Every structure is written in C-alpha cells, then in structure tokens.
Amino acid sequence: MSYRGEIPSVKSHDDYLKLPKIFGAVDSYDLVAHATTHAKFESHTPSLEGKSREASIVGSALVEAAIVHHDPNHNDDDYRLGLLYDGQEALLRVEDYESDLLDHGWKNPDDQVDWRRAVLQTTFKNAYADIVIGDITLVTKSEILESIDRQLKDTEQYRRDLDQHPNTRNKKVVNRYKRDADGLVAELLLFQESWQHYKEIGDNIAIPASRRGGHGNHRPNETHDVVYLGQQPDNTFRLAGVEEIKKRRSFRKMAKHLIRYDNPIAVVGKNGSIEHIS
C-alpha cells in the first residue's frame, strides 16, 4: 500500500468513524493513512469479527481515497487504480471473514446480512475503476445490474426463509434479522433503480456509502446509505448527492425524528416502489 504525505495520528476505530461522512470532505491522503493504520489493526486482531471490522475500514477508505483523489488530467490513474486494487482485496477479505464466521458456527447461521452486505460492497469493483478512468461503460452497467438482480432474489428468499422458523426460536433475534434483511432489500432495490436509469455520460451513478457514512454513532445527521456521483466535462466524477434509505413502515413510525437527517431520504415500499423525499 503506497502513501504520499504525512500520516496523521490514528489510535482507534472511532478515529475513522468521527471523520466527516460526506465524500470529498476528507482528503484522499488522510483516508489512505487511516487505511494503513487499520490494516495493521487487522493483522494484529485475533478475532474474525475484529478482522472483518478493520478490513471493512481499510477497503472502504481506500476506495473512497481513489475516487476523491483530485486528478483532473488523469496523471495519477495508475496510483488510484492501485488504491482500488488494495481496497477490493480488503473488501474481499471482509466477505471471507463473514463467510467463515457463518461456516464455523461463530455466528448464528441466520445472521447473514453482514456477509451479504460484504458481497454488495464488492459488486462495484468495475464501476470504481471506470470512475477513475473517466468512463462508465455499458458492460459495467450490465454486470452491476445482473449482480444486483441475483443478490436481490437471494436476499428476498433469505428473508422469506426467516418466516419459516418454529416458535421455539428467539423471536426478538429473528425479528432483528428480518429488519436487517428488509433494510438490505431496500438498498438493493434503490441501486437497481439507479443503475437502470443510467443511460449516458452526465447521468448520475449510485455507489454504496463509505463505512463511516452508514454508521450512526458519530455525526448521525450526516448518515446516509447511498452516494451519487456525476461525471464532469473533464471526465472526472464529483459528488452529486447522498441519500438515506428507509422502509415505508419505519419511515412512518419515526417520521417526527427524521428531522435529524441533513440528507434526502428514499422511502421504499413493500411492493418495491421508491419515493425520493428531499
């Protein structure tokens, strides 16, 4: 992992989560510094849960660093693609860690959403490379839509399977898994909608939020699930907006509390309908 510049002091998991959540608000080199530190945390953490958490930060920070790195003349494409490669390797490790936790019984076999989210994170590999190069290809669009469609069907089946548990199961635990699955389905539906609408240069593209972007422990008003990027005349991509995703029933239940969000909200209905609320 290459790095340019002075490495800031990073002492804990929360140092990364406390950063501003919006793409572009944190310098690319600072993001690489956080990734470098958390890669060391990953290598020294004994538990798979800990390794998964640290690798998720590494991957998320490196992908974001590659995207926000200012390079209007594309002189640093190789450097940025190198960051993406290291970031994707980290995200694939997250997928492996989460799979091992399930396979070896260290996680309830029904607790699959973290693993499924890890799979989602790796779906956008070619989109990130296209962003760096400055051209979203129709091949990339097709690959993403095929993967999202497959994940959506698998996740919806997983959600239905959770309803088949006998009454002896812990209902509170199963209900939590159901809520997590519902949230993931909503995200997949939004990504599907966004990429179906991408037709040509100038249309926005949607990618998953960074790890800290979707984490509500710090700066909760900045929390979001989706990042929209728009292509500029110089073939670079800039932030076009972010969005929080809510299922319609949860949106209705917590409507009076949604004022805490600075960002627009996408409300996903039970039938898959999507309403964008500014």
Side-chain angles (χ1 to χ4, degrees):
M1 185 184 300
S2 59
Y3 175 69
R4 307 171 182 180
E6 180 182 352
I7 298 179
S9 175
V10 180
K11 298 180 180 178
S12 73
H13 180 62
D14 270 9
D15 284 349
Y16 168 79
L17 296 178
K18 289 175 182 176
L19 295 172
K21 295 184 183 296
I22 305 302
F23 257 59
V26 181
D27 183 85
S28 175
Y29 299 134
D30 286 345
L31 289 167
V32 176
H34 281 273
T36 301
T37 299
H38 284 279
K40 294 177 183 177
F41 291 168
E42 179 191 354
S43 66
H44 292 100
T45 300
S47 71
L48 282 179
E49 293 95 333
K51 288 183 178 297
S52 179
R53 180 188 66 234
E54 302 302 340
S56 177
I57 293 178
V58 174
S60 181
L62 288 177
V63 167
E64 183 181 359
I67 291 173
V68 305
H69 179 82
H70 185 63
D71 182 29
N73 296 319
H74 293 275
N75 295 322
D76 292 340
D77 281 0
D78 288 344
Y79 168 69
R80 296 170 70 193
L81 290 172
L83 294 180
L84 284 182
Y85 178 84
D86 288 342
Q88 286 297 316
E89 288 294 299
L91 294 175
L92 286 170
R93 291 198 300 275
V94 176
E95 190 176 332
D96 288 341
Y97 292 143
E98 292 298 329
S99 180
D100 286 345
L101 286 167
L102 292 168
D103 291 345
H104 295 290
W106 293 316
K107 255 190 173 182
N108 188 313
D110 293 329
D111 189 5
Q112 298 181 15
V113 170
D114 287 341
W115 167 67
R116 291 177 181 275
R117 287 190 183 281
V119 173
L120 175 62
Q121 288 289 333
T122 62
T123 298
F124 294 83
K125 173 183 178 180
N126 290 334
Y128 298 145
D130 285 359
I131 289 169
V132 166
I133 294 169
D135 180 26
I136 301 294
T137 69
L138 294 180
V139 172
T140 294
K141 172 185 174 178
S142 177
E143 289 174 348
I144 287 177
L145 285 173
E146 287 178 11
S147 180
I148 292 295
D149 182 65
R150 183 172 59 253
Q151 292 176 56
L152 185 56
K153 291 176 180 176
D154 289 347
T155 305
E156 288 174 332
Q157 183 58 56
Y158 158 64
R159 174 62 178 81
R160 288 192 293 270
D161 290 343
L162 290 172
D163 282 327
Q164 306 304 314
H165 288 304
N167 293 330
T168 54
R169 293 291 182 102
N170 186 317
K171 289 185 178 180
K172 287 185 178 180
V173 172
V174 173
N175 285 338
R176 176 169 62 82
Y177 297 157
K178 289 179 182 178
R179 288 193 298 272
D180 291 345
D182 287 342
L184 179 54
V185 167
E187 289 184 35
L188 288 165
L189 284 169
L190 192 137
F191 284 120
Q192 183 182 63
E193 177 205 54
S194 297
W195 279 89
Q196 283 174 340
H197 288 161
Y198 179 81
K199 303 296 183 184
E200 58 188 9
I201 291 175
D203 294 340
N204 291 339
I205 59 169
I207 62 173
S210 66
R211 178 176 174 89
R212 72 181 188 285
H215 202 286
N217 280 8
H218 304 284
R219 301 176 183 265
N221 59 309
E222 297 178 7
T223 302
H224 57 278
D225 299 302
V226 178
V227 173
Y228 294 97
L229 299 174
Q231 191 165 7
Q232 306 301 299
D234 62 0
N235 288 335
T236 61
F237 283 79
R238 294 288 184 271
L239 179 71
V242 298
E243 202 165 35
E244 177 80 3
I245 302 174
K246 296 294 179 187
K247 294 290 288 184
R248 186 167 299 280
R249 64 176 177 271
S250 63
F251 177 77
R252 287 170 177 165
K253 286 181 180 178
M254 62 181 301
K256 66 181 180 180
H257 302 294
L258 294 176
I259 194 172
R260 77 178 179 91
Y261 293 109
D262 291 342
N263 306 316
I265 297 172
V267 182
V268 181
K270 192 173 183 180
N271 63 352
S273 63
I274 301 174
E275 180 183 3
H276 299 274
I277 300 175
S278 299

